[in-house]
C-alpha cells in the first residue's frame, strides 16, 4: 500500500501563476500569492478543517482565479451598463462549494 503524497502548495501556486499568465517574480505574483492564501483559508473554513489536502488546494486555486478576475469589481453584487447586466456571486462560487463538499468535516453539537 502506498502512502499518499503530501499536498503541494508551491506546485499549485506555480500552476496558478501560469494559468493567470503572471511571472513569479512580478509584483502581481505577490498579490496572487496573498489571494491564494486567502482562498486556502476560505476553503478550510468551509470544510471545517485545519489542514489542507491536494483536492482542497486545487479548489483554492480555482477560487483564487475567481478572486483575481473580480479585483476591479470588489464589493459589487451586480452591474448594468448599456443594456448588459452582470451579476457577481459572493463568497465561494457554487461549483467550488460542490467540489469541496465531500471534504467537509461535521461539527458536533451538544443538545441540552
Amino acid at each position: 500500500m502506498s502512502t499518499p503524497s503530501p499536498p503541494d502548495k508551491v506546485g499549485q501556486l506555480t500552476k496558478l501563476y501560469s494559468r493567470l499568465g503572471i511571472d513569479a517574480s512580478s509584483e502581481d505574483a505577490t498579490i496572487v500569492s496573498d489571494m491564494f492564501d486567502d482562498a486556502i483559508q476560505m476553503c478550510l473554513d468551509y470544510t471545517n478543517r485545519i489542514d489542507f489536502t491536494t483536492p482542497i488546494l486545487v479548489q483554492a486555486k480555482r477560487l483564487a482565479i475567481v478572486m483575481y478576475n473580480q479585483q476591479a469589481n470588489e464589493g459589487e453584487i451586480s452591474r448594468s451598463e448599456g443594456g448588459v447586466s452582470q451579476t457577481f456571486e459572493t463568497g465561494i462560487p457554487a461549483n467550488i462549494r460542490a467540489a469541496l463538499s465531500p471534504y467537509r468535516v461535521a461539527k458536533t453539537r451538544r443538545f441540552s
Side-chain angles (χ1 to χ4, degrees), residues 64-85:
I65 291 168
V66 170
M67 293 166 70
Y68 182 80
N69 289 331
Q70 289 181 346
Q71 277 186 96
N73 304 321
E74 286 183 60
E76 287 186 330
I77 296 172
S78 66
R79 175 188 344 165
S80 186
E81 291 179 25
V84 177
S85 295

Side-chain angles (χ1 to χ4, degrees), residues 76-98:
E76 287 186 330
I77 296 172
S78 66
R79 175 188 344 165
S80 186
E81 291 179 25
V84 177
S85 295
Q86 290 182 315
T87 303
F88 304 100
E89 196 162 7
T90 57
I92 300 175
N95 61 340
I96 295 174
R97 281 194 319 266

Side-chain angles (χ1 to χ4, degrees), residues 38-50 56 59 63 91-107:
D38 290 349
I40 289 171
Q41 190 57 54
M42 289 174 71
C43 290
L44 289 174
D45 290 346
Y46 180 77
T47 58
N48 299 316
R49 293 180 176 269
I50 55 172
I56 291 174
Q59 297 312 314
L63 180 57
I92 300 175
N95 61 340
I96 295 174
R97 281 194 319 266
L100 288 170
S101 288
Y103 303 99
R104 291 188 85 179
V105 175
K107 287 186 178 181

Side-chain angles (χ1 to χ4, degrees), residues 5-50:
S5 60
D8 183 18
K9 181 180 175 187
V10 174
Q12 290 299 323
L13 186 57
T14 301
K15 290 178 183 179
L16 178 58
Y17 293 149
S18 176
R19 188 165 298 172
L20 293 173
I22 293 173
D23 183 72
S25 61
S26 70
E27 192 173 307
D28 282 344
T30 305
I31 295 167
V32 170
S33 178
D34 186 49
M35 285 181 181
F36 187 51
D37 287 339
D38 290 349
I40 289 171
Q41 190 57 54
M42 289 174 71
C43 290
L44 289 174
D45 290 346
Y46 180 77
T47 58
N48 299 316
R49 293 180 176 269
I50 55 172

